[in-house]
Structure formats: C-alpha cells, structure tokens
Amino acid sequence: MNRIFPQPRTLDGNPEGEKKTSESEEDCCGPFSCCSRRGFWISAWTLLLLVSLTLIIWLVSSFGLPPPSPMTRACATTSNKTGFLCDDRETCIPASLVCDRVRACAHGEDEEEALCGNVPHSLPSFLVFHCSDHTSWVFEDQKCDGFNDCGDCSDEGILARCPPCGPQWWSCPSTFSQYCGCVPRHLCRDRVQHCWDWSDEYICPRA
C-alpha cells in the first residue's frame, strides 16, 4: 500500500515547487518596478509639455505677436524713375499714376483711401517733391524730366539735383516755354524761339 506524503510548503503556504509569478513579472510589476518608472517619465514629459504650451499661450496673450514689418513701396521703374510697388511685389508703377483715380495696380492699392485721402500729406514722402515756393508739389517721377511742373523750374534745377542736359536736349540760360534750361533738340531750328539767347535757332544742331 502506497502512502501519499504531503508536499512541503513554504512559509507563505504555497507548495515549495510553485512560485506566485515568474521572476520577470516580479521585476516589472512590483510597486517600484520598471512599469511604474516608465509611467512616471511619460507623466513627467506630458506635464512639461502642458506647462510649456501654457507659458507660450500666456506670453502671446500678454505681449501679443510682433507686428509684421511694413511693406516697402519705393521702387524704380523701367525708365529708372521713382515708382510705387504694388502688392504683388513685382509691378512698379510710375509715382504720378498714384491717386489719379485710375487703378494701375491689379488690386487697386494705388487708389486706396488711406493713401489718397489727403494728398499730398497722406502720400509716402518718397513719392512727393516739394517745389521751392513750399506751396506746390509734384510727383517724384516728374522731377528732372525737362518740363516746368513746379512753375518756377525748381523741379528741374539745383533743388531737384538734376543732372546736366542729356544728349537729346539743348542747354539754354533760360527759356520761353514749358522747358527749364534744357530744350529738346528736335525743337532746334524750328523757327520758334525757345531759348532767351536764340541759341536754339542759331547754334543748336537739329537732332
């Protein structure tokens, strides 16, 4: 007759050959296990991210975003005259086409109320040339074009820093017409006096 002997038990009441969990489970799932450490770091990084976002939102709401830099409107036309740059940043229209009640820019920014509401005071300074009498003004592209736009020729002289007469012009000490100091050569010897000294009729070679 075989006798059955009871298996020896450990102090916690489990059979000696049995374990509650594997060693790996004991290593990773204890109160201070790797599972707990991994969860701790995930929570820490999440908290840090939330704090950073909160700080950024607070800074933006407190100080606001920096204002965008204003667009530079000054440009040079194909004839090397002062111009006005349209919103497309490619089209440069002559200064004298600004506020003429005709839209030269595709979106009409050259005729906006903010720009044309109180001409010339509402115009950018680079578009305006003030004549010597301080009560008259012309657009910058009308300066040094040979024509007396100011009425006193100040837009064609030293005040405007104009260069000497070009090859297509004849220099006069003074004129009897709309020209200032320079007369177009095609007017030379046309039997009409343009220069005070008649040099356009006796000296100037016709172009």
Side-chain angles (χ1 to χ4, degrees):
M1 181 176 179
N2 295 327
R3 297 182 63 185
I4 299 175
F5 296 95
Q7 294 181 352
R9 296 179 176 271
T10 59
L11 294 176
D12 58 2
N14 291 326
E16 188 175 359
E18 296 180 4
K19 295 182 179 179
K20 291 186 295 182
T21 57
S22 65
E23 292 181 359
S24 61
E25 290 177 337
E26 288 179 351
D27 291 341
C28 283
C29 296
F32 299 101
S33 65
C34 58
C35 298
S36 300
R37 288 195 299 272
R38 188 162 52 248
F40 168 77
W41 286 113
I42 292 175
S43 300
W45 281 110
T46 303
L47 180 62
L48 180 62
L49 180 61
L50 291 175
V51 171
S52 300
L53 290 175
T54 303
L55 180 61
I56 292 173
I57 293 173
W58 177 79
L59 289 173
V60 170
S61 61
S62 299
F63 301 100
L65 293 173
S69 57
M71 179 179 173
T72 302
R73 295 287 190 179
C75 62
T77 63
T78 53
S79 59
N80 203 29
K81 291 286 187 177
T82 300
F84 177 85
L85 186 64
C86 298
D87 283 348
D88 61 8
R89 298 181 181 270
E90 294 181 359
T91 307
C92 183
I93 65 172
S96 54
L97 294 186
V98 175
C99 301
D100 63 349
R101 298 183 180 181
V102 178
R103 291 187 174 188
C105 292
H107 298 96
E109 52 270 23
D110 56 309
E111 302 297 325
E112 290 180 350
E113 179 65 23
L115 185 67
C116 307
N118 187 23
V119 174
H121 306 291
S122 56
L123 293 172
S125 59
F126 69 87
L127 291 177
V128 179
F129 173 79
H130 294 280
C131 302
S132 60
D133 62 2
H134 301 292
T135 60
S136 302
W137 67 276
V138 297
F139 283 101
E140 270 286 330
D141 64 328
Q142 295 174 315
K143 183 181 70 175
C144 304
D145 63 353
F147 295 94
N148 184 13
D149 297 297
C150 280
D152 57 5
C153 284
S154 57
D155 57 307
E156 301 299 322
I158 298 175
L159 181 63
R161 299 179 181 178
C162 297
C165 297
Q168 299 302 317
W169 299 77
W170 175 254
S171 178
C172 298
S174 61
T175 62
F176 289 97
S177 61
Q178 73 269 31
Y179 304 104
C180 297
C182 298
V183 175
R185 283 184 179 269
H186 70 269
L187 297 180
C188 290
R189 302 180 184 270
D190 64 348
R191 300 182 180 181
V192 177
Q193 181 187 12
H194 296 290
C195 294
W196 175 81
D197 61 358
W198 286 89
S199 62
D200 60 306
E201 294 302 312
Y202 294 104
I203 302 176
C204 173
R206 188 176 178 88

